Amino acid sequence: MSDDAKSRVQVSLRIRPAKKGARHSTKVVVRGAEGGDVVVDDEQRTKRVYHFDHVFSGGQAEVFEAIGRPMLREAYKGFNVCLFAYGQTGSGKTYSLLGDMGCEERAGVAPRFVRCLFDEAQRMVDEDADLTIKVSLSMIEVYMEKVRDLLAPRQRGQEPESLEIHEDPSRRVYVRGASVHQVLSAERMIELLQKGNANRQTAETRMNETSSRSHAIMQISLSQEFACVKKKDLECVVSLVDLAGSERQTKTESSGQQFEEAKKINHSLLMLGRALNSFSDRKGSDAFISLRESKLTRLLSESFGGNSKTWMLATVSPTAFNLTESISTLDYATNAMAITNKAKVNSVFKSLELKELKAVVSSLEKQLESLAAARDAKEVDVAILQEEREALRLAVHTARSQDTAAQRLQSTVQHIQLGNIALRRRVEAAEKRMIWSLDNEASFLFYKGRCAISLRGVLRGEKWAYRLALLAENGQATSSTLHVQVFSLNKDLTVLEDPMEMVGRSIKFCLRIVGAEGLPPQFCRHSFCKLSLLFDQDNRYFTTSTAEDTTNPRWDLVKRFELPHLTPEVIAHFNTHHLFTFEVFGFST
């Protein structure tokens, strides 16, 4: 592409060879001439001459070198590029664009472009270690004014999902939901192109055995990212468009679904033609309206007057039978040559900022590594200090343990000494008929007197009142006495001569501790009586209330008891042995 025309749509023409054995007229009326001219002469009309950038008469390689190679150069400069093939059905659009992708000689522009794209990427990466190149592919079709993903999984018998066209904040058009495939090799991308082309809607018509019934758009996204902050990242989109061919119903003899498809195809191509006319006449507002009148023109809006460098490959049949369609295509292509685009390099400034941050992170990581090395050296010193500290701690612990043992020994000696003193005082108190308590830290003095009774009177049915002399700890009598009453509660019980008459019966009786008299004055600060039952498995005992500041306390404690099913042995035992014991306590403080 020359410098003077770098923003103009580049238009090339390819004339398909006449088919041998065709049923219609094979007279050639469209011929290529020198210098990019095309002559139309059917001897019945005025001779016409058209001029284009290229007119191809050779094979697939010639087409690629004239169109694909310049597109590749511009793409790597960061420009969006587009190639769309336009022409009558059966004129060779798909063959020129895709060709036989499995054959190197018959491969079209797209597979050749893909191989050169990856070859160039490898060369550039080998020369610049800071460069990373990423490639992705999406492929859609416009069928019956519905946008469909050609690379999405499809299930037999189900209609493919219809996708919606949207615009981003920069008013760039995109298809929401279209799958994007990251590609790492030319072979993989060609496989995807073959898959997408196989998914296109096609049908056999009178004019073409495999007529495309949809417009196919292949978009290759190319990004160049540099690790070096001084270099700009670049990105671009390569669009390869295979338009469905215009048809005349009288020639294709289509009907039913094919007729409806033809109507939609012709309508979208008509809208595209209007858009081309509007742009070529520089009627911006009309062009805007035209671009929104069909899905196709909206998807190609960047390719005409937008941010893209665009190539058009027009294909025609040379025969008189298709003269009308050929002239229409030539007029179409002529209008396209008058369109000027506003292409610009797509620099990614956001990526540049990101690289600056990455550079800062890299610098910080190096500093961190340096600090880590210094830390490791200090950790060795710390480990040595920790070992020394642990040895010192063990030494201190040992010293403290020895000191603790000495303190415990000293405490034991003191405890023994205090015990000896307490024992000596207890002996002295016992000699004075007093008890020295070791259970109280205050070490107060207290008096204790004991006595006991049997049930002899109760078993006879008598009421007894006892005045019991209290004995000291050493068994000697004291001047203190305890007043106790015992009497039967059996209402039908009379006084018996022989207690054995109670055999087999039960006896209920009441025990009352009235009080005491003559307690030692020095032990009358507090006093109480404790009642214990001998031969009781539960070792039960009862205590009276506490009297204060009196040598003659009165407690008046009453307890009831029952002896069920008396036996001779029990009667004999309780008649002669003590059943209750009493302990009277008096405290000095």
Side-chain angles (χ1 to χ4, degrees):
M1 183 179 290
S2 65
D3 292 338
D4 294 338
K6 62 181 179 180
S7 294
R8 178 178 63 79
V9 174
Q10 298 291 288
V11 180
S12 300
L13 182 73
R14 192 175 194 186
I15 304 173
R16 175 175 180 166
K19 292 183 178 180
K20 297 180 180 180
R23 291 176 295 177
H24 50 73
S25 173
T26 59
K27 180 182 178 181
V28 175
V29 295
V30 180
R31 297 180 176 84
E34 295 291 334
D37 289 342
V38 175
V39 178
V40 178
D41 185 7
D42 64 347
E43 298 179 355
Q44 296 180 0
R45 303 184 185 185
T46 303
K47 183 178 180 180
R48 299 186 183 186
V49 178
Y50 296 87
H51 179 79
F52 302 106
D53 295 294
H54 297 281
V55 176
F56 300 117
S57 58
Q60 299 281 64
E62 179 188 5
V63 178
F64 172 74
E65 291 300 328
I67 298 177
R69 188 75 67 182
M71 287 179 61
L72 183 64
R73 287 195 296 267
E74 298 302 319
Y76 271 109
K77 292 178 183 178
F79 291 102
N80 295 331
V81 294
C82 174
L83 166 63
F84 70 99
Y86 176 87
Q88 176 190 4
T89 181
S91 60
K93 299 182 302 300
T94 303
Y95 177 77
S96 299
L97 194 61
L98 298 176
D100 185 352
M101 287 184 273
C103 175
E104 182 177 354
E105 182 180 356
R106 294 192 297 273
V109 173
R112 292 173 185 266
F113 182 91
V114 168
R115 294 191 184 280
C116 291
L117 175 73
F118 280 94
D119 289 344
E120 181 65 12
Q122 187 62 54
R123 184 192 66 78
M124 294 174 65
V125 170
D126 291 341
E127 292 181 355
D128 191 343
D130 290 337
L131 174 61
T132 300
I133 296 179
K134 297 179 181 179
V135 182
S136 62
L137 172 69
S138 62
M139 192 170 178
I140 60 174
E141 70 173 350
V142 179
Y143 171 71
M144 298 286 287
E145 280 301 295
K146 295 179 181 179
V147 180
R148 307 194 299 196
D149 189 347
L150 289 173
L151 297 179
R154 295 191 178 186
Q155 295 184 359
R156 184 176 299 177
Q158 288 189 358
E159 183 74 13
E161 180 184 2
S162 180
L163 306 178
E164 297 295 329
I165 301 174
H166 293 270
E167 290 183 1
D168 64 13
S170 301
R171 302 193 68 178
R172 290 181 297 185
V173 175
Y174 69 96
V175 178
R176 178 178 294 175
S179 60
V180 178
H181 301 261
Q182 300 295 326
V183 185
L184 301 178
S185 67
E187 290 73 17
R188 174 56 180 162
M189 183 168 286
I190 290 175
E191 287 179 5
L192 291 174
L193 291 176
Q194 290 173 328
K195 175 184 176 181
N197 189 51
N199 286 333
R200 285 185 69 181
Q201 196 75 26
T202 60
E204 181 179 356
T205 66
R206 188 169 179 269
M207 297 291 293
N208 190 350
E209 293 180 355
T210 56
S211 175
S212 298
R213 316 307 291 167
S214 67
H215 309 294
I217 301 176
M218 296 152 274
Q219 287 192 324
I220 302 172
S221 296
L222 173 66
S223 68
Q224 304 172 66
E225 300 177 2
F226 294 90
C228 178
V229 178
K230 296 181 180 180
K231 296 181 180 180
K232 292 183 179 180
D233 291 347
L234 301 175
E235 66 178 14
C236 72
V237 177
V238 179
S239 300
L240 304 173
V241 184
D242 183 16
L243 299 175
S246 58
E247 298 181 2
R248 282 195 174 186
Q249 194 273 338
T250 55
K251 290 185 177 181
T252 60
E253 297 180 358
S254 59
S255 60
Q257 179 65 20
Q258 290 185 10
F259 179 68
E260 294 300 323
E261 292 170 348
K263 286 170 58 178
K264 293 292 184 182
I265 292 171
N266 291 336
H267 173 74
S268 61
L269 293 176
L270 176 62
M271 293 301 102
L272 180 60
R274 288 182 179 178
L276 295 179
N277 288 334
S278 299
F279 277 111
S280 62
D281 294 340
R282 302 182 183 275
K283 297 177 182 178
S285 59
D286 292 341
F288 178 78
I289 295 172
S290 298
L291 289 176
R292 289 183 173 271
E293 287 185 357
S294 76
K295 299 288 180 66
L296 176 63
T297 53
R298 194 174 179 194
L299 289 170
L300 296 180
S301 58
E302 282 291 312
S303 302
F304 303 106
N307 179 24
S308 175
K309 292 193 174 185
T310 303
W311 283 257
M312 175 182 179
L313 176 61
T315 58
V316 296
S317 169
T319 63
F321 180 75
N322 295 309
L323 179 59
T324 301
E325 289 82 0
S326 296
I327 291 176
S328 175
T329 300
L330 294 171
D331 291 339
Y332 218 100
T334 300
N335 287 334
M337 289 187 68
I339 298 174
T340 301
N341 288 346
K342 301 175 182 179
K344 61 180 180 180
V345 174
N346 299 296
S347 299
V348 186
F349 297 102
K350 183 177 181 180
S351 177
L352 184 61
E353 296 174 0
L354 179 61
K355 285 188 298 187
E356 292 175 350
L357 293 176
K358 288 181 178 179
V360 173
V361 171
S362 177
S363 176
L364 292 175
E365 286 178 346
K366 291 179 180 179
Q367 295 180 25
L368 185 60
E369 291 176 358
S370 177
L371 291 174
R375 181 198 61 190
D376 293 340
K378 290 182 179 180
E379 284 181 351
V380 175
D381 296 337
V382 170
I384 295 174
L385 292 175
Q386 287 178 340
E387 292 178 358
E388 294 177 353
R389 184 186 66 177
E390 182 64 18
L392 181 60
R393 188 187 66 80
L394 291 175
V396 171
H397 178 72
T398 302
R400 287 179 177 176
S401 298
Q402 294 174 352
D403 185 55
T404 301
Q407 290 177 356
R408 287 179 179 175
L409 181 60
Q410 183 179 1
S411 176
T412 302
V413 172
Q414 291 176 351
H415 183 71
I416 293 173
Q417 291 174 345
L418 291 174
N420 291 336
I421 295 172
L423 182 60
R424 185 170 64 252
R425 290 182 179 179
R426 183 179 178 88
V427 171
E428 293 174 353
E431 292 176 350
K432 297 178 181 180
R433 298 180 182 178
M434 296 182 293
I435 297 299
W436 183 271
S437 174
L438 297 178
D439 299 329
N440 194 301
E441 293 181 359
S443 298
F444 55 83
L445 293 173
F446 71 93
Y447 161 87
K448 182 169 71 172
R450 292 184 178 182
C451 61
I453 61 172
S454 66
L455 291 181
R456 182 174 54 185
V458 175
L459 292 172
R460 292 175 179 270
E462 299 172 344
K463 179 177 180 181
W464 285 68
Y466 299 91
R467 187 179 296 275
L468 305 172
L470 296 175
L471 302 178
E473 281 280 287
N474 56 6
Q476 295 181 358
T478 68
S479 59
S480 302
T481 59
L482 177 67
H483 295 185
V484 179
Q485 295 177 355
V486 182
F487 50 89
S488 174
L489 295 177
N490 292 50
K491 296 181 180 181
D492 58 344
L493 186 64
T494 59
V495 178
L496 303 174
E497 292 293 332
D498 185 2
M500 289 299 174
E501 295 181 19
M502 293 294 295
V503 173
R505 300 175 63 180
S506 299
I507 186 171
K508 299 178 181 178
F509 63 94
C510 181
L511 174 65
R512 178 186 179 193
I513 302 176
V514 180
E517 292 181 355
L519 296 183
Q522 65 270 35
F523 299 110
C524 66
R525 181 71 179 88
H526 304 284
S527 61
F528 67 89
C529 180
K530 175 182 177 183
L531 166 65
S532 299
L533 281 73
L534 298 177
F535 314 108
D536 183 54
Q537 294 180 351
D538 296 330
N539 295 320
R540 288 177 293 174
Y541 66 89
F542 308 95
T543 59
T544 66
S545 59
T546 301
E548 297 182 356
D549 299 323
T550 177
T551 58
N552 302 312
R554 185 174 182 84
W555 298 301
D556 202 22
L557 173 67
V558 178
K559 289 292 180 181
R560 296 182 180 184
F561 300 93
E562 180 180 3
L563 297 175
H565 307 294
L566 295 172
T567 63
E569 292 78 13
V570 171
I571 293 173
H573 183 82
F574 287 146
N575 191 43
T576 57
H577 291 76
H578 294 156
L579 178 60
F580 299 106
T581 61
F582 305 92
E583 293 177 305
V584 177
F585 295 87
F587 297 87
S588 61
T589 57

